[in-house]
Amino acid sequence: MSAHVKVREREKLTLAEEIEELTGINSLKCYQCGKCSAGCPVRVFMKVPPNKVVRFVQLGLEDEALRSETIWMCAGCLTCSTRCPQNFDLAKFMDALKEIAIKKGVISKDDILKFHKAFLKQVEANGKAFEFGLIRDYKLATFNIFQDLDIAPEMFFKGKIKLFSHRIKDRDKIKKIFDRCKE
Amino acid sequence: MDNIGYYPGCSLLGTAKEYEQSIRHVFSKLGINLIEVDDWSCCGATSAHATNHLLSVALPMRNIILAKKQGLKSLFIPCAACYNRFVVARYEIENRPELRKKIEDVLEEKIETDIEILNMIEMFQRIDRELFLSKRQRDLKGLKVAAYYGCLLVRPNGVTGFDDPEMPSAMEDVVRLTGAETVDWNFKVECCGASHSITNMTVVTTLSKRIIDDAVENGAEAIIVACPMCHSNLDMRQRNIAKMDSQHKSIPIFYLSELVGFSMGIDKEDLGLSLHFIDTESVLARFSTAIVAKE
């Protein structure tokens, strides 16, 4: 169980404790060998390497961890999680940091969060993903209007993007699942 | 006829239409009856697991519960991203009792996880070799391809439990049954950039270019995939790569089921080959007429 010694009862959990509660991952398991950052395919697009984000959490530098763009740049490829000699699931750890950052309203890569929100909005409403709605909402939210306008007609004529969504029957259930998971 | 549960996933209704078409044709030819999970819903994909852990487990579990109710013993999930979400969610439920309790409360149902989950390659591994070869109408001898696994079929190690995470070889075994040759190359499990395709295209064009270049350098004429995300990044985004680099050498990207279907003599339109962004005729034309007569 938790390796974090609770000196006295506190109302507020530390970031490390919150991550452990959410994922079962003990932040102290990481011994900073750096193998994750060495093999990370998106490392070159990050200012702070992934292992350093873990270090922030270990040291209680919560703001540094939650505000780092690294947590949003992670592509979730799971290379780090697979190679870690300590079996530390860093990709899941990055997901937990994003989830906590959202709760605290500390968002360093707003465009990526807008993408996720636009995606889930369609799933919540229809039970299935809906690309046209996703792209429309994402573009409106980010003002990134012009990207991919060249391929859009072709996608449409190939039938790869449809104007109407597929909808499942039991949408009430999906709505309920979303509501309960947001609580 | 064998019955197998089938969860297509949202991409196969849209951007990966050709994957769905080729799967339907190939498995009907092999005598396998795919039974779609009734009223299936989205697995939540990256957007759920990046923002809400509970949701990312609850959404696949709803579908597993439906499949179990339908009496399905196995579930074929061709999209590598959906496949990964399902196996990871099942792993979490089986290994974290407190999470299982929470998810059962969310879904208002008891969860049973004893269902076999199969990816595209595992489906082909189930097919008897002799049966597979008996359906082959074109020998793709001389076609050199690179089998690309990407991230989500093989990782996390020990959770998907499928093949070696660094040097897998199961897809090559399937490809060789078509007569095609597989090349040795370095990027078979490297990431293509995944959902950054929309939010940060430079990540995708950079990573996908490295993958394509390495395949070409090692003699491949085409890349074979089993993931809609990989396909769209390597096929559709190859246009953006070509714009970025005038020296770029384009190569077609096939779904494994398309390659197998083509070797079985299934019509190219039926396989959805005209839906690709990078032309496929450059490598297929030489085999188009070579239908082998069966005695």
Side-chain angles (χ1 to χ4, degrees):
Chain A
M1 287 316 284
S2 174
H4 309 287
V5 180
K6 284 184 184 154
V7 179
R8 57 188 147 76
E9 282 303 314
R10 282 170 283 120
E11 267 184 28
K12 201 171 148 276
L13 295 177
T14 64
L15 182 57
E17 286 165 344
E18 271 186 87
I19 293 169
E20 185 158 359
E21 199 175 89
L22 204 58
T23 62
I25 298 171
N26 176 356
S27 302
L28 294 177
K29 244 173 93 177
C30 164
Y31 53 46
Q32 291 291 315
C33 71
K35 195 174 184 180
C36 48
S37 300
C40 175
V42 280
R43 166 67 184 95
V44 291
F45 300 97
M46 295 166 170
K47 292 189 196 96
V48 175
N51 68 300
K52 210 166 167 181
V53 175
V54 185
R55 195 71 183 132
F56 287 153
V57 174
Q58 292 174 334
L59 294 174
L61 299 169
E62 305 195 349
D63 227 35
E64 282 80 352
L66 293 172
R67 282 181 200 279
S68 90
E69 291 188 1
T70 302
I71 64 176
W72 296 97
M73 288 308 293
C74 167
C77 76
L78 300 160
T79 304
C80 52
S81 305
T82 297
R83 291 181 182 167
C84 177
Q86 283 286 79
N87 264 325
F88 188 101
D89 192 344
L90 184 50
K92 202 205 266 182
F93 183 89
M94 291 290 175
D95 282 345
L97 281 170
K98 287 188 281 274
E99 185 164 349
I100 295 164
I102 294 167
K103 272 193 198 130
K104 299 195 180 199
V106 204
I107 316 296
S108 61
K109 291 286 285 174
D110 199 34
D111 52 337
I112 295 181
L113 178 59
K114 281 174 176 160
F115 173 82
H116 294 320
K117 280 188 172 164
F119 182 93
L120 291 175
K121 184 183 150 191
Q122 296 302 332
V123 179
E124 186 172 359
N126 304 309
K128 285 191 167 94
F130 174 42
E131 281 119 350
F132 179 75
L134 157 68
I135 301 295
R136 178 196 59 209
D137 294 348
Y138 174 71
K139 281 177 180 289
L140 289 175
T142 57
F143 303 107
N144 182 6
I145 310 290
F146 299 107
Q147 180 179 307
D148 293 331
L149 281 190
D150 51 338
I151 55 164
E154 200 173 338
M155 292 288 280
F156 179 72
F157 285 116
K158 286 180 193 293
K160 292 193 161 195
I161 290 236
K162 296 185 180 73
L163 292 177
F164 299 99
S165 58
H166 292 270
R167 306 179 95 186
I168 69 159
K169 282 176 261 160
D170 198 358
R171 295 192 295 280
D172 290 348
K173 182 82 182 182
I174 297 293
K175 183 81 187 91
K176 214 181 237 180
I177 293 173
F178 270 81
D179 286 346
R180 291 192 173 163
C181 289
K182 281 183 203 160
E183 275 165 16
Chain B
M1 208 181 227
D2 275 350
N3 288 335
I4 291 206
Y6 180 46
Y7 175 91
C10 306
S11 294
L12 274 76
L13 304 179
T15 50
K17 252 176 99 163
E18 63 269 51
Y19 196 17
E20 155 87 357
Q21 275 175 233
S22 54
I23 284 167
R24 295 266 182 204
H25 282 281
V26 164
F27 287 105
S28 115
K29 210 153 201 184
L30 289 167
I32 287 176
N33 193 15
L34 299 176
I35 302 170
E36 206 164 314
V37 176
D38 187 32
D39 208 36
W40 62 268
S41 52
C42 173
C43 70
T46 305
S47 295
H49 78 73
T51 61
N52 188 324
H53 185 63
L54 216 50
L55 187 66
S56 77
V57 180
L59 289 174
M61 278 304 142
R62 172 181 182 264
N63 294 293
I64 287 185
I65 289 171
L66 290 176
K68 291 280 299 172
K69 278 187 187 160
Q70 234 169 300
L72 299 168
K73 304 262 185 301
S74 317
L75 192 55
F76 165 38
I77 308 183
C79 168
C82 300
Y83 163 77
N84 193 273
R85 290 321 308 160
F86 274 70
V87 291
V88 168
R90 183 178 59 179
Y91 183 87
E92 291 257 298
I93 290 290
E94 287 173 353
N95 290 282
R96 296 179 61 201
E98 78 292 353
L99 181 71
R100 176 193 281 262
K101 175 82 186 54
K102 274 190 201 166
I103 299 290
E104 285 181 342
D105 288 346
V106 166
L107 297 172
E108 297 173 313
E109 273 181 278
K110 276 266 167 238
I111 298 174
E112 285 172 39
T113 52
D114 55 327
I115 187 163
E116 184 185 29
I117 298 175
L118 301 161
N119 63 42
M120 179 80 260
I121 298 149
E122 289 170 319
M123 271 299 277
F124 281 123
Q125 284 177 327
R126 288 171 76 105
I127 310 291
D128 177 67
R129 191 188 152 86
E130 293 312 311
L131 171 69
F132 193 110
L133 292 174
S134 73
K135 301 291 177 195
R136 199 173 88 181
Q137 294 192 19
R138 288 188 181 108
D139 185 349
L140 305 184
K141 194 165 184 285
L143 178 66
K144 287 185 166 183
V145 303
Y148 174 62
Y149 298 76
C151 308
L152 300 173
L153 292 170
V154 292
R155 291 192 287 262
N157 189 16
V159 176
T160 70
F162 170 70
D163 214 333
D164 186 276
E166 301 283 354
M167 193 52 91
S169 59
M171 199 190 313
E172 276 90 339
D173 294 341
V174 178
V175 167
R176 280 190 218 106
L177 290 175
T178 68
E181 272 175 62
T182 54
V183 301
D184 280 332
W185 65 309
N186 306 299
F187 281 70
K188 53 166 90 167
V189 294
E190 287 293 315
C191 177
C192 69
S195 65
H196 281 306
S197 185
I198 308 288
T199 51
N200 194 336
M201 208 207 295
T202 316
V203 172
V204 168
T205 48
T206 308
L207 299 187
S208 294
K209 181 173 166 48
R210 292 195 322 184
I211 293 164
I212 296 166
D213 287 354
D214 189 72
V216 171
E217 271 166 37
N218 286 291
E221 302 165 78
I223 296 177
I224 313 301
V225 300
C227 170
M229 193 83 239
C230 299
H231 192 274
S232 106
N233 282 347
L234 296 177
D235 177 57
M236 188 180 86
R237 289 295 179 218
Q238 213 175 140
R239 291 236 188 117
N240 303 82
I241 292 169
K243 269 186 215 160
M244 204 170 72
D245 173 12
S246 57
Q247 306 291 308
H248 175 77
K249 193 180 173 305
S250 287
I251 58 168
I253 315 295
F254 293 102
Y255 286 107
L256 181 59
S257 48
E258 292 177 326
L259 188 80
V260 170
F262 182 70
S263 82
M264 289 178 173
I266 297 169
D267 186 74
K268 284 188 259 189
E269 272 309 306
D270 289 342
L271 294 171
L273 291 172
S274 61
L275 301 176
H276 289 210
F277 281 82
I278 302 294
D279 167 62
T280 56
E281 272 306 291
S282 58
V283 302
L284 296 186
R286 65 185 198 259
F287 300 103
S288 288
T289 50
I291 302 255
V292 183
K294 295 273 167 196
E295 65 274 13

